[in-house]
Amino acid sequence: MIRLVAGLAAIGVLALAGCGHEPKPIGPDEAAQAAAADEFADCLRQADLPVFVSTSPDGQKDVHVEGDEVVAISTSFDSGISGGDYSSEAAQKAALAAAGELVKAYDPVQGAMMTGASEKELDALGGATDPEARYLIVGTTDQTEPYFECLDRTGYEPSTYSGDPADELKAKQRVAQATVKWAECARQNGYPDLKDPDAPTTGDDSWPAAVLPGDITTAELNRLLDSCPNYDVEGQLAFHE
């Protein structure tokens, strides 16, 4: 089955954005974490890495390498691959392949996947990436050494943010309202049995969603989304009110 939330884009970030409230006073642990984040970011900038720092409403900070520049990253606290901002799909694939050759030194399976290895070749390597592998490839440049030197020197750890339950519930209620409207549109466009999402409650980790039939095809889903787009610009802006 497919769970669809109206207004998917950036919903997790916006839901925890504090809804315009004043930042709360921070304690000594948060202050120390924020100081380490600033020191880590300064160290990376001195190594010419493209970084920015985000601050959560409780004063904790997180350091990010610019997403449009990163092709591959795997650390003890984060992992993922971003294709970067390239002019064409062919250029993106070429950049990923070039980065994959560098990643192979740290994580052979991940590197092979990035370079387009076959299933047989991946099986021969063991078929699983190394969760402990640490590397950072920016564009097609190996930045692993300066990145982890700065990380080890500063002792930086990413923040663990706990949102205000009242703010989170308010955000979920707005998502529920948007999803109810979307479900109504879906019922008018070929899915008469589609139910409205359950009303959100405090302490519920899930987000309100409309549950589509499990046998819906990709073509059917695309047609439905053409008739009933699930991204609502006005609804997203409402999170900032």
Side-chain angles (χ1 to χ4, degrees):
M1 95 184 47
I2 297 175
R3 296 176 60 83
L4 192 141
V5 178
L8 280 171
I11 214 166
V13 175
L14 294 171
L16 300 179
C19 298
H21 293 178
E22 290 296 321
K24 300 176 178 66
I26 64 173
D29 291 342
E30 290 81 4
Q33 188 274 344
D38 287 335
E39 185 180 355
F40 180 53
D42 288 341
C43 183
L44 294 180
R45 291 187 185 105
Q46 291 174 12
D48 293 327
L49 269 73
V51 300
F52 70 95
V53 179
S54 64
T55 304
S56 65
D58 62 357
Q60 297 189 66
K61 294 185 177 182
D62 285 314
V63 180
H64 312 269
V65 180
E66 292 283 5
D68 285 347
E69 299 291 335
V70 176
V71 171
I73 181 171
S74 176
T75 73
S76 58
F77 56 79
D78 188 20
S79 64
I81 294 177
S82 170
D85 185 13
Y86 300 107
S87 57
S88 67
E89 183 178 353
Q92 182 172 335
K93 287 182 178 180
L96 284 169
E101 293 297 337
L102 298 173
V103 171
K104 284 181 180 178
Y106 306 98
D107 187 347
V109 176
Q110 183 66 75
M113 291 171 63
M114 293 171 65
T115 54
S118 66
E119 290 293 332
K120 184 176 181 180
E121 291 171 322
L122 291 175
D123 288 342
L125 291 170
T129 61
D130 180 3
E132 303 300 323
R134 306 205 315 174
Y135 53 84
L136 175 71
I137 311 299
V138 180
T140 55
T141 303
D142 188 343
Q143 297 283 15
T144 300
E145 186 173 349
Y147 184 87
F148 287 103
E149 279 185 358
C150 289
L151 187 66
D152 295 337
R153 183 190 311 167
T154 61
Y156 162 74
E157 293 183 1
S159 68
T160 302
Y161 172 60
S162 298
D164 184 327
D167 286 343
E168 184 171 323
L169 179 60
K170 187 176 180 181
K172 287 183 177 180
Q173 289 169 340
R174 287 173 172 165
V175 170
Q177 292 170 359
T179 306
V180 165
K181 291 181 180 179
W182 185 88
E184 181 180 357
C185 178
R187 286 192 291 269
Q188 296 171 354
N189 284 271
Y191 296 86
D193 297 327
L194 189 73
K195 296 180 180 180
D196 289 338
D198 293 333
T201 58
T202 301
D204 184 1
D205 291 335
S206 64
W207 283 80
V211 181
L212 292 166
D215 59 355
I216 188 172
T217 67
T218 300
E220 290 169 343
L221 178 59
N222 286 337
R223 283 196 294 270
L224 177 59
L225 292 177
D226 283 340
S227 301
C228 305
N230 69 312
Y231 180 73
D232 174 15
V233 175
E234 292 184 0
Q236 292 294 307
L237 293 175
F239 278 97
H240 296 293
E241 293 178 352

